[in-house]
Amino acid sequence: IAQEGGYVNGVMAALLSESGVLGVIGPVEAGDAKLFIDGFLNGAKVTKPDIQTNVIYTGSFGDTALAAEAANTQIAAGADILTGSAQQVVGAIGVAKEKGAKWFGTQSDQSSLAPETVVATQVFDWTDTIKDMIALNKAGTYGGKAYALTLDNGGLKIVFNQEVPADVKA
């Protein structure tokens, strides 16, 4: 459930923002991308009701140039912290690194792209789900079970960059 990690990232972003402006770069306004973004916005607003949140949807999952353009727009509008989702984020993370903004990620650990830029990433951990699917398959059960990855069941994890202050991590 992408909104859970989005919420946690939004809380941390609001606590760390010095400008009071957060920028979001989404691919399309649907699915897990929208859930993550909605969670991020909710977490930020609950933490600091007066924080400004700007959202741009590029309309593309993989256009890194559009994501970079959106990141430049967000930073020009005062954002010191950015987030986003889909394969396009490589472009946005590059801009964040170049301009000195911070980044909160989702899906997989993105810190290798810019260790000094990526603060934390919501990571999907399918390990227990896959193990359960294999066990059910071996027992003769083929489908019929739905899975939800959550922070509570360990399917979602927050991977922190080593530079996250302890009070924000808590």
Side-chain angles (χ1 to χ4, degrees):
I1 302 177
Q3 66 268 26
E4 286 187 5
Y7 187 92
V8 172
N9 279 354
V11 168
M12 291 188 291
L15 291 172
L16 292 173
S17 178
E18 294 177 12
S19 70
V21 181
L22 307 178
V24 180
I25 300 143
V28 296
E29 198 170 353
D32 278 351
K34 183 168 179 1
L35 291 174
F36 172 78
I37 290 168
D38 288 350
F40 183 88
L41 298 173
N42 288 333
K45 287 288 188 182
V46 164
T47 304
K48 289 194 176 173
D50 60 338
I51 199 152
Q52 182 179 335
T53 55
N54 300 324
V55 180
I56 296 173
Y57 285 99
T58 65
S60 172
F61 287 98
D63 192 328
T64 57
L66 273 177
E69 185 179 325
N72 276 313
T73 299
Q74 295 286 24
I75 291 168
D80 61 344
I81 296 181
L82 303 175
T83 193
S85 65
Q87 298 84 353
Q88 69 171 355
V89 299
V90 174
I93 293 169
V95 169
K97 179 180 179 179
E98 177 186 318
K99 304 276 179 143
K102 295 296 182 189
W103 180 265
F104 282 85
T106 184
Q107 298 161 334
S108 62
D109 184 4
Q110 299 165 344
S111 62
S112 65
L113 297 173
E116 67 287 351
T117 301
V118 177
V119 176
T121 304
Q122 168 185 254
V123 174
F124 294 93
D125 185 346
W126 294 93
T127 306
D128 290 338
T129 301
I130 299 297
K131 286 180 181 179
D132 188 58
M133 288 177 179
I134 291 169
L136 287 170
N137 187 275
K138 286 181 178 181
T141 302
Y142 306 107
K145 183 173 181 180
Y147 296 89
L149 302 179
T150 66
L151 291 168
D152 189 47
N153 69 19
L156 292 179
K157 297 181 180 188
I158 304 296
V159 176
F160 295 95
N161 183 300
Q162 66 275 9
E163 296 180 25
V164 175
D167 61 329
V168 173
K169 225 181 207 186

